[in-house]
Each structure stands twice: as C-alpha cells, then as structure tokens.
Amino acid sequence: QVQLVESGGGLVQPGGSLRLSCAASGSIFSINAMGWYRQAPGKERELVATITSGGSTNYADSVKGRFTISRDNAKNTVYLQMNSLKPEDTAVYYCNAQLQVHRLFKSRDYWGQGTQVTVSS
C-alpha cells in the first residue's frame, strides 16, 4: 500500500511564504515524476509544478518565478517552496507521484489527501 502524506499548508498573508512537503511511503519500487496540483473552490484541479526523477521541472505560468519545486529521492519526498503568495493562490494543494510498486507493474498515479493553503489579510 502506498501513501502520500502532505504537510505545510496554512493561512498566510499576501506576499508571504509557505513550504509544502509530501512524503511517499509503502511498497514502492520506483518513483518517476512527482508534482503538485491545486484546486480552488468552483474550479478544476490544475497543475502547479512537476519534477522528474532526474530533476527536470515544469511550472504553471501563474507560479513561475514565485514557486520552486524540489525533491529528495532518498526520502521519496517532494517539496514546494511558495514565495510572494497571492490571494489567487488560495486552494487545496494535492501531491502527485507517478510510481511503480513492482518492477513488473506499470507506473500509475497516486495522490495525497490535500492540504489547504489560504492567502488572505
């Protein structure tokens, strides 16, 4: 059984910073890409940032220059450093991992339970 556990969400004022963490645990053979998605009330879930096992990153245009994704492969953990936060960044943030539980199985998506980020004065 695989679990993705997120932490680090909360309430922050505009212009502030937060750091999200997501640790994958359980029966894991290998992890390919990891990433963060978010969903605001009344909106669809959208990509925030992704990072491959080799360290290549991809960001949504709305967060480029403000957010930084990183990962620690030894700890099966992905991070999202969020700076210069805006009210429009308010959403539930979900961790995603594309991973294999066995060498003979295909890679598939796993999701965390989500962590709330609220940017408000």
Side-chain angles (χ1 to χ4, degrees), residues 80-110:
L80 185 68
Q81 178 66 45
M82 304 185 292
N83 299 328
S84 302
L85 282 160
K86 305 175 181 180
E88 50 264 43
D89 294 318
T90 295
V92 177
Y93 284 69
Y94 296 92
C95 173
N96 169 269
Q98 296 172 7
L99 63 85
Q100 289 176 272
V101 296
H102 189 277
R103 62 180 181 86
L104 297 179
F105 292 179
K106 291 183 179 180
S107 178
R108 53 154 285 196
D109 283 322
Y110 289 82

Side-chain angles (χ1 to χ4, degrees), residues 41-58:
K43 295 187 177 181
E44 293 187 351
R45 189 175 298 188
E46 63 175 4
L47 178 147
V48 176
T50 61
I51 184 167
T52 67
S53 57
S56 296
T57 58
N58 180 50

Side-chain angles (χ1 to χ4, degrees), residues 17 24-25 38 66 80 86-87 102:
S17 298
S25 63
R38 68 186 181 188
R66 300 188 298 122
L80 185 68
K86 305 175 181 180
H102 189 277

